[in-house]
Amino acid sequence: QLLYLLMKHILNLIVISLAIYSCSDANSQSGEPLTPEKINEHFFDLYDSKGISEALEFIFSTNDWINKTQTSEVKNKLIELTKQLGSYQGQEVVSKKSISEDYLLYSFLIKYDRQPIRYLFIYYKPKNKWQLQNFQYDDNLETELIEAASAYRLTENLPGNE
């Protein structure tokens, strides 16, 4: 029985050590500060390997000010939406925009069997640490694509391009 208790404590220490290591690895990425690019990369690694819920928990954890009630609402709604879209097929960056060095937006096309959806990540660095400031998703990409192809939007129809 003593051997059993000893083995149980050793196993608990191993589990706790692994948990601490994985948390520190996710947050430090070998001691380097997390940049928006590294946050995105880790988010999609988790998205691929552990699913939407784990990925969102990670990215929301970068900002202590984010309301936990709202995050579980977003998580649940997004999970329900993606269940209707078939299998996840990958992602690609659509655009990266900024209004300063410390305030960035990343737009990603998230590919599913049925149709794509878009994720928007807004990052803010108030001091020396990047945090997620806002996360949004939508499936209205078709409307924007049609709008972008409108005749008045085409460069050859802009004034001065006669």
Side-chain angles (χ1 to χ4, degrees):
Q1 221 179 32
L2 181 60
L3 183 60
Y4 171 76
L5 287 174
L6 183 59
M7 292 301 286
K8 187 175 174 183
H9 286 296
I10 290 173
L11 183 60
N12 283 340
L13 284 173
I14 291 171
V15 169
I16 290 169
S17 298
L18 287 173
I20 290 169
Y21 172 76
S22 66
C23 288
S24 66
D25 185 48
N27 291 326
S28 70
Q29 301 268 330
S30 52
E32 299 173 22
L34 284 177
T35 62
E37 293 79 11
K38 288 180 182 177
I39 295 171
N40 290 339
E41 183 181 329
H42 191 66
F43 173 85
F44 285 111
D45 286 347
L46 286 171
Y47 199 91
D48 289 339
S49 63
K50 298 193 177 181
I52 296 170
S53 186
E54 292 273 336
L56 287 174
E57 281 183 35
F58 159 71
I59 204 156
F60 290 147
S61 76
T62 64
N63 186 336
D64 296 332
W65 295 94
I66 291 181
N67 181 311
K68 302 301 177 206
T69 307
Q70 290 175 332
T71 61
S72 31
E73 263 183 52
V74 169
K75 224 187 309 184
N76 293 336
K77 287 180 180 177
L78 184 56
I79 288 169
E80 285 307 308
L81 171 66
T82 57
K83 282 180 183 175
Q84 302 170 30
L85 300 179
S87 297
Y88 171 67
Q89 299 299 329
Q91 47 75 26
E92 57 187 74
V93 176
V94 174
S95 66
K96 174 186 174 187
K97 304 288 181 193
S98 67
I99 57 173
S100 80
E101 290 180 12
D102 297 326
Y103 204 64
L104 306 172
L105 175 140
Y106 279 87
S107 175
F108 284 89
L109 182 75
I110 312 302
K111 301 186 278 186
Y112 281 89
D113 290 334
R114 181 177 173 193
Q115 72 180 63
I117 56 178
R118 174 181 32 206
Y119 287 177
L120 293 175
F121 300 94
I122 296 177
Y123 294 105
Y124 174 53
K125 187 170 77 169
K127 225 176 182 182
N128 57 4
K129 176 185 170 261
W130 284 99
Q131 64 189 29
L132 179 74
Q133 193 67 20
N134 193 355
F135 169 78
Q136 297 176 26
Y137 65 91
D138 67 83
D139 61 354
N140 299 323
L141 298 167
E142 193 173 297
T143 306
E144 280 189 37
L145 189 59
I146 292 167
E147 170 68 18
S150 296
Y152 75 91
R153 290 269 192 165
L154 300 175
T155 47
E156 58 268 15
N157 293 333
L158 291 175
N161 288 337
E162 289 87 35

PDB file of all heavy atoms in Angstrom, residues 82-105:
ATOM      1  N   THR A  82     -19.877  25.901 -36.547  1.00  0.00           N
ATOM      2  CA  THR A  82     -18.941  25.055 -37.294  1.00  0.00           C
ATOM      3  C   THR A  82     -19.423  23.611 -37.419  1.00  0.00           C
ATOM      4  O   THR A  82     -19.038  22.924 -38.368  1.00  0.00           O
ATOM      5  CB  THR A  82     -17.527  25.092 -36.667  1.00  0.00           C
ATOM      6  OG1 THR A  82     -17.604  24.688 -35.306  1.00  0.00           O
ATOM      7  CG2 THR A  82     -16.939  26.488 -36.775  1.00  0.00           C
ATOM      8  N   LYS A  83     -20.280  23.151 -36.512  1.00  0.00           N
ATOM      9  CA  LYS A  83     -20.849  21.803 -36.639  1.00  0.00           C
ATOM     10  C   LYS A  83     -21.671  21.673 -37.917  1.00  0.00           C
ATOM     11  O   LYS A  83     -21.786  20.591 -38.471  1.00  0.00           O
ATOM     12  CB  LYS A  83     -21.738  21.477 -35.435  1.00  0.00           C
ATOM     13  CG  LYS A  83     -20.993  21.098 -34.185  1.00  0.00           C
ATOM     14  CD  LYS A  83     -21.975  20.795 -33.066  1.00  0.00           C
ATOM     15  CE  LYS A  83     -21.262  20.484 -31.767  1.00  0.00           C
ATOM     16  NZ  LYS A  83     -22.215  20.312 -30.650  1.00  0.00           N
ATOM     17  N   GLN A  84     -22.216  22.784 -38.391  1.00  0.00           N
ATOM     18  CA  GLN A  84     -23.048  22.781 -39.597  1.00  0.00           C
ATOM     19  C   GLN A  84     -22.233  22.905 -40.880  1.00  0.00           C
ATOM     20  O   GLN A  84     -22.784  22.819 -41.964  1.00  0.00           O
ATOM     21  CB  GLN A  84     -24.045  23.938 -39.534  1.00  0.00           C
ATOM     22  CG  GLN A  84     -24.956  23.907 -38.340  1.00  0.00           C
ATOM     23  CD  GLN A  84     -25.747  25.200 -38.218  1.00  0.00           C
ATOM     24  OE1 GLN A  84     -26.046  25.845 -39.208  1.00  0.00           O
ATOM     25  NE2 GLN A  84     -26.068  25.576 -36.993  1.00  0.00           N
ATOM     26  N   LEU A  85     -20.933  23.118 -40.749  1.00  0.00           N
ATOM     27  CA  LEU A  85     -20.110  23.419 -41.926  1.00  0.00           C
ATOM     28  C   LEU A  85     -19.276  22.249 -42.429  1.00  0.00           C
ATOM     29  O   LEU A  85     -18.555  22.387 -43.417  1.00  0.00           O
ATOM     30  CB  LEU A  85     -19.188  24.611 -41.615  1.00  0.00           C
ATOM     31  CG  LEU A  85     -19.890  25.907 -41.234  1.00  0.00           C
ATOM     32  CD1 LEU A  85     -18.870  26.990 -40.925  1.00  0.00           C
ATOM     33  CD2 LEU A  85     -20.854  26.355 -42.319  1.00  0.00           C
ATOM     34  N   GLY A  86     -19.339  21.119 -41.766  1.00  0.00           N
ATOM     35  CA  GLY A  86     -18.529  19.973 -42.189  1.00  0.00           C
ATOM     36  C   GLY A  86     -17.156  20.004 -41.546  1.00  0.00           C
ATOM     37  O   GLY A  86     -16.952  20.623 -40.506  1.00  0.00           O
ATOM     38  N   SER A  87     -16.212  19.382 -42.203  1.00  0.00           N
ATOM     39  CA  SER A  87     -14.860  19.248 -41.658  1.00  0.00           C
ATOM     40  C   SER A  87     -14.029  20.504 -41.900  1.00  0.00           C
ATOM     41  O   SER A  87     -14.133  21.142 -42.941  1.00  0.00           O
ATOM     42  CB  SER A  87     -14.143  18.060 -42.297  1.00  0.00           C
ATOM     43  OG  SER A  87     -14.809  16.872 -41.997  1.00  0.00           O
ATOM     44  N   TYR A  88     -13.177  20.793 -40.934  1.00  0.00           N
ATOM     45  CA  TYR A  88     -12.226  21.896 -41.034  1.00  0.00           C
ATOM     46  C   TYR A  88     -11.152  21.525 -42.050  1.00  0.00           C
ATOM     47  O   TYR A  88     -10.599  20.429 -42.012  1.00  0.00           O
ATOM     48  CB  TYR A  88     -11.618  22.147 -39.652  1.00  0.00           C
ATOM     49  CG  TYR A  88     -10.458  23.105 -39.625  1.00  0.00           C
ATOM     50  CD1 TYR A  88     -10.627  24.457 -39.928  1.00  0.00           C
ATOM     51  CD2 TYR A  88      -9.192  22.671 -39.270  1.00  0.00           C
ATOM     52  CE1 TYR A  88      -9.569  25.337 -39.883  1.00  0.00           C
ATOM     53  CE2 TYR A  88      -8.118  23.546 -39.222  1.00  0.00           C
ATOM     54  CZ  TYR A  88      -8.314  24.872 -39.529  1.00  0.00           C
ATOM     55  OH  TYR A  88      -7.248  25.751 -39.490  1.00  0.00           O
ATOM     56  N   GLN A  89     -10.850  22.450 -42.976  1.00  0.00           N
ATOM     57  CA  GLN A  89      -9.896  22.168 -44.046  1.00  0.00           C
ATOM     58  C   GLN A  89      -8.666  23.078 -44.036  1.00  0.00           C
ATOM     59  O   GLN A  89      -7.867  23.034 -44.953  1.00  0.00           O
ATOM     60  CB  GLN A  89     -10.597  22.290 -45.410  1.00  0.00           C
ATOM     61  CG  GLN A  89     -11.748  21.334 -45.600  1.00  0.00           C
ATOM     62  CD  GLN A  89     -11.309  19.880 -45.531  1.00  0.00           C
ATOM     63  OE1 GLN A  89     -10.188  19.521 -45.898  1.00  0.00           O
ATOM     64  NE2 GLN A  89     -12.187  19.021 -45.031  1.00  0.00           N
ATOM     65  N   GLY A  90      -8.541  23.917 -43.016  1.00  0.00           N
ATOM     66  CA  GLY A  90      -7.365  24.778 -42.947  1.00  0.00           C
ATOM     67  C   GLY A  90      -7.748  26.248 -42.896  1.00  0.00           C
ATOM     68  O   GLY A  90      -8.919  26.608 -42.852  1.00  0.00           O
ATOM     69  N   GLN A  91      -6.733  27.090 -42.938  1.00  0.00           N
ATOM     70  CA  GLN A  91      -6.944  28.535 -42.860  1.00  0.00           C
ATOM     71  C   GLN A  91      -5.877  29.253 -43.647  1.00  0.00           C
ATOM     72  O   GLN A  91      -4.853  28.681 -43.978  1.00  0.00           O
ATOM     73  CB  GLN A  91      -6.934  28.988 -41.397  1.00  0.00           C
ATOM     74  CG  GLN A  91      -5.804  28.470 -40.530  1.00  0.00           C
ATOM     75  CD  GLN A  91      -4.443  29.117 -40.757  1.00  0.00           C
ATOM     76  OE1 GLN A  91      -4.376  30.259 -41.212  1.00  0.00           O
ATOM     77  NE2 GLN A  91      -3.382  28.413 -40.475  1.00  0.00           N
ATOM     78  N   GLU A  92      -6.161  30.505 -43.974  1.00  0.00           N
ATOM     79  CA  GLU A  92      -5.158  31.352 -44.616  1.00  0.00           C
ATOM     80  C   GLU A  92      -5.394  32.807 -44.220  1.00  0.00           C
ATOM     81  O   GLU A  92      -6.528  33.216 -43.960  1.00  0.00           O
ATOM     82  CB  GLU A  92      -5.168  31.186 -46.132  1.00  0.00           C
ATOM     83  CG  GLU A  92      -6.484  31.454 -46.791  1.00  0.00           C
ATOM     84  CD  GLU A  92      -6.477  31.110 -48.272  1.00  0.00           C
ATOM     85  OE1 GLU A  92      -6.492  29.916 -48.600  1.00  0.00           O
ATOM     86  OE2 GLU A  92      -6.477  32.056 -49.078  1.00  0.00           O
ATOM     87  N   VAL A  93      -4.316  33.557 -44.168  1.00  0.00           N
ATOM     88  CA  VAL A  93      -4.408  34.982 -43.835  1.00  0.00           C
ATOM     89  C   VAL A  93      -5.020  35.705 -45.023  1.00  0.00           C
ATOM     90  O   VAL A  93      -4.577  35.539 -46.156  1.00  0.00           O
ATOM     91  CB  VAL A  93      -3.012  35.578 -43.523  1.00  0.00           C
ATOM     92  CG1 VAL A  93      -3.118  37.078 -43.279  1.00  0.00           C
ATOM     93  CG2 VAL A  93      -2.371  34.894 -42.339  1.00  0.00           C
ATOM     94  N   VAL A  94      -6.045  36.511 -44.762  1.00  0.00           N
ATOM     95  CA  VAL A  94      -6.652  37.338 -45.797  1.00  0.00           C
ATOM     96  C   VAL A  94      -5.986  38.705 -45.796  1.00  0.00           C
ATOM     97  O   VAL A  94      -5.616  39.227 -46.840  1.00  0.00           O
ATOM     98  CB  VAL A  94      -8.170  37.486 -45.571  1.00  0.00           C
ATOM     99  CG1 VAL A  94      -8.785  38.466 -46.560  1.00  0.00           C
ATOM    100  CG2 VAL A  94      -8.852  36.135 -45.652  1.00  0.00           C
ATOM    101  N   SER A  95      -5.824  39.273 -44.602  1.00  0.00           N
ATOM    102  CA  SER A  95      -5.166  40.575 -44.526  1.00  0.00           C
ATOM    103  C   SER A  95      -4.644  40.840 -43.120  1.00  0.00           C
ATOM    104  O   SER A  95      -5.071  40.216 -42.151  1.00  0.00           O
ATOM    105  CB  SER A  95      -6.120  41.708 -44.936  1.00  0.00           C
ATOM    106  OG  SER A  95      -7.173  41.816 -44.011  1.00  0.00           O
ATOM    107  N   LYS A  96      -3.715  41.767 -43.083  1.00  0.00           N
ATOM    108  CA  LYS A  96      -3.167  42.270 -41.818  1.00  0.00           C
ATOM    109  C   LYS A  96      -3.167  43.789 -41.945  1.00  0.00           C
ATOM    110  O   LYS A  96      -2.632  44.329 -42.910  1.00  0.00           O
ATOM    111  CB  LYS A  96      -1.738  41.752 -41.615  1.00  0.00           C
ATOM    112  CG  LYS A  96      -1.049  42.343 -40.404  1.00  0.00           C
ATOM    113  CD  LYS A  96       0.406  41.918 -40.333  1.00  0.00           C
ATOM    114  CE  LYS A  96       1.112  42.642 -39.198  1.00  0.00           C
ATOM    115  NZ  LYS A  96       2.546  42.403 -39.183  1.00  0.00           N
ATOM    116  N   LYS A  97      -3.799  44.448 -41.001  1.00  0.00           N
ATOM    117  CA  LYS A  97      -3.886  45.910 -41.013  1.00  0.00           C
ATOM    118  C   LYS A  97      -3.465  46.440 -39.655  1.00  0.00           C
ATOM    119  O   LYS A  97      -3.582  45.752 -38.647  1.00  0.00           O
ATOM    120  CB  LYS A  97      -5.322  46.377 -41.300  1.00  0.00           C
ATOM    121  CG  LYS A  97      -5.925  45.855 -42.577  1.00  0.00           C
ATOM    122  CD  LYS A  97      -5.316  46.510 -43.771  1.00  0.00           C
ATOM    123  CE  LYS A  97      -5.954  45.977 -45.045  1.00  0.00           C
ATOM    124  NZ  LYS A  97      -5.224  46.335 -46.217  1.00  0.00           N
ATOM    125  N   SER A  98      -2.999  47.680 -39.643  1.00  0.00           N
ATOM    126  CA  SER A  98      -2.654  48.304 -38.367  1.00  0.00           C
ATOM    127  C   SER A  98      -2.946  49.793 -38.440  1.00  0.00           C
ATOM    128  O   SER A  98      -2.947  50.377 -39.522  1.00  0.00           O
ATOM    129  CB  SER A  98      -1.182  48.075 -38.029  1.00  0.00           C
ATOM    130  OG  SER A  98      -0.363  48.768 -38.937  1.00  0.00           O
ATOM    131  N   ILE A  99      -3.187  50.366 -37.275  1.00  0.00           N
ATOM    132  CA  ILE A  99      -3.319  51.826 -37.206  1.00  0.00           C
ATOM    133  C   ILE A  99      -2.186  52.412 -36.376  1.00  0.00           C
ATOM    134  O   ILE A  99      -2.083  53.613 -36.239  1.00  0.00           O
ATOM    135  CB  ILE A  99      -4.705  52.275 -36.680  1.00  0.00           C
ATOM    136  CG1 ILE A  99      -5.011  51.684 -35.312  1.00  0.00           C
ATOM    137  CG2 ILE A  99      -5.785  51.938 -37.673  1.00  0.00           C
ATOM    138  CD1 ILE A  99      -6.271  52.231 -34.676  1.00  0.00           C
ATOM    139  N   SER A 100      -1.361  51.527 -35.812  1.00  0.00           N
ATOM    140  CA  SER A 100      -0.136  51.927 -35.129  1.00  0.00           C
ATOM    141  C   SER A 100       0.690  50.659 -34.932  1.00  0.00           C
ATOM    142  O   SER A 100       0.246  49.573 -35.259  1.00  0.00           O
ATOM    143  CB  SER A 100      -0.438  52.597 -33.781  1.00  0.00           C
ATOM    144  OG  SER A 100      -0.706  51.628 -32.787  1.00  0.00           O
ATOM    145  N   GLU A 101       1.871  50.795 -34.374  1.00  0.00           N
ATOM    146  CA  GLU A 101       2.705  49.616 -34.112  1.00  0.00           C
ATOM    147  C   GLU A 101       2.099  48.712 -33.049  1.00  0.00           C
ATOM    148  O   GLU A 101       2.435  47.534 -32.967  1.00  0.00           O
ATOM    149  CB  GLU A 101       4.104  50.048 -33.658  1.00  0.00           C
ATOM    150  CG  GLU A 101       4.933  50.668 -34.741  1.00  0.00           C
ATOM    151  CD  GLU A 101       6.311  51.080 -34.232  1.00  0.00           C
ATOM    152  OE1 GLU A 101       6.702  50.678 -33.108  1.00  0.00           O
ATOM    153  OE2 GLU A 101       7.001  51.793 -34.964  1.00  0.00           O
ATOM    154  N   ASP A 102       1.203  49.256 -32.238  1.00  0.00           N
ATOM    155  CA  ASP A 102       0.669  48.518 -31.099  1.00  0.00           C
ATOM    156  C   ASP A 102      -0.801  48.149 -31.216  1.00  0.00           C
ATOM    157  O   ASP A 102      -1.429  47.756 -30.226  1.00  0.00           O
ATOM    158  CB  ASP A 102       0.876  49.342 -29.811  1.00  0.00           C
ATOM    159  CG  ASP A 102       2.343  49.568 -29.515  1.00  0.00           C
ATOM    160  OD1 ASP A 102       3.153  48.673 -29.817  1.00  0.00           O
ATOM    161  OD2 ASP A 102       2.686  50.642 -28.985  1.00  0.00           O
ATOM    162  N   TYR A 103      -1.365  48.278 -32.410  1.00  0.00           N
ATOM    163  CA  TYR A 103      -2.782  47.949 -32.592  1.00  0.00           C
ATOM    164  C   TYR A 103      -2.952  47.330 -33.978  1.00  0.00           C
ATOM    165  O   TYR A 103      -2.848  48.035 -34.984  1.00  0.00           O
ATOM    166  CB  TYR A 103      -3.623  49.221 -32.444  1.00  0.00           C
ATOM    167  CG  TYR A 103      -5.063  48.966 -32.043  1.00  0.00           C
ATOM    168  CD1 TYR A 103      -5.373  48.397 -30.818  1.00  0.00           C
ATOM    169  CD2 TYR A 103      -6.110  49.317 -32.881  1.00  0.00           C
ATOM    170  CE1 TYR A 103      -6.694  48.185 -30.439  1.00  0.00           C
ATOM    171  CE2 TYR A 103      -7.424  49.105 -32.509  1.00  0.00           C
ATOM    172  CZ  TYR A 103      -7.708  48.533 -31.288  1.00  0.00           C
ATOM    173  OH  TYR A 103      -9.003  48.317 -30.911  1.00  0.00           O
ATOM    174  N   LEU A 104      -3.165  46.013 -34.019  1.00  0.00           N
ATOM    175  CA  LEU A 104      -3.180  45.268 -35.281  1.00  0.00           C
ATOM    176  C   LEU A 104      -4.451  44.458 -35.456  1.00  0.00           C
ATOM    177  O   LEU A 104      -5.033  43.991 -34.480  1.00  0.00           O
ATOM    178  CB  LEU A 104      -2.017  44.262 -35.320  1.00  0.00           C
ATOM    179  CG  LEU A 104      -0.612  44.751 -35.075  1.00  0.00           C
ATOM    180  CD1 LEU A 104       0.337  43.566 -34.973  1.00  0.00           C
ATOM    181  CD2 LEU A 104      -0.178  45.673 -36.186  1.00  0.00           C
ATOM    182  N   LEU A 105      -4.825  44.249 -36.702  1.00  0.00           N
ATOM    183  CA  LEU A 105      -5.942  43.382 -37.048  1.00  0.00           C
ATOM    184  C   LEU A 105      -5.458  42.310 -38.015  1.00  0.00           C
ATOM    185  O   LEU A 105      -4.753  42.620 -38.974  1.00  0.00           O
ATOM    186  CB  LEU A 105      -7.066  44.195 -37.702  1.00  0.00           C
ATOM    187  CG  LEU A 105      -8.241  43.378 -38.216  1.00  0.00           C
ATOM    188  CD1 LEU A 105      -9.543  44.101 -37.927  1.00  0.00           C
ATOM    189  CD2 LEU A 105      -8.143  43.062 -39.690  1.00  0.00           C
TER     190      LEU A 105
END
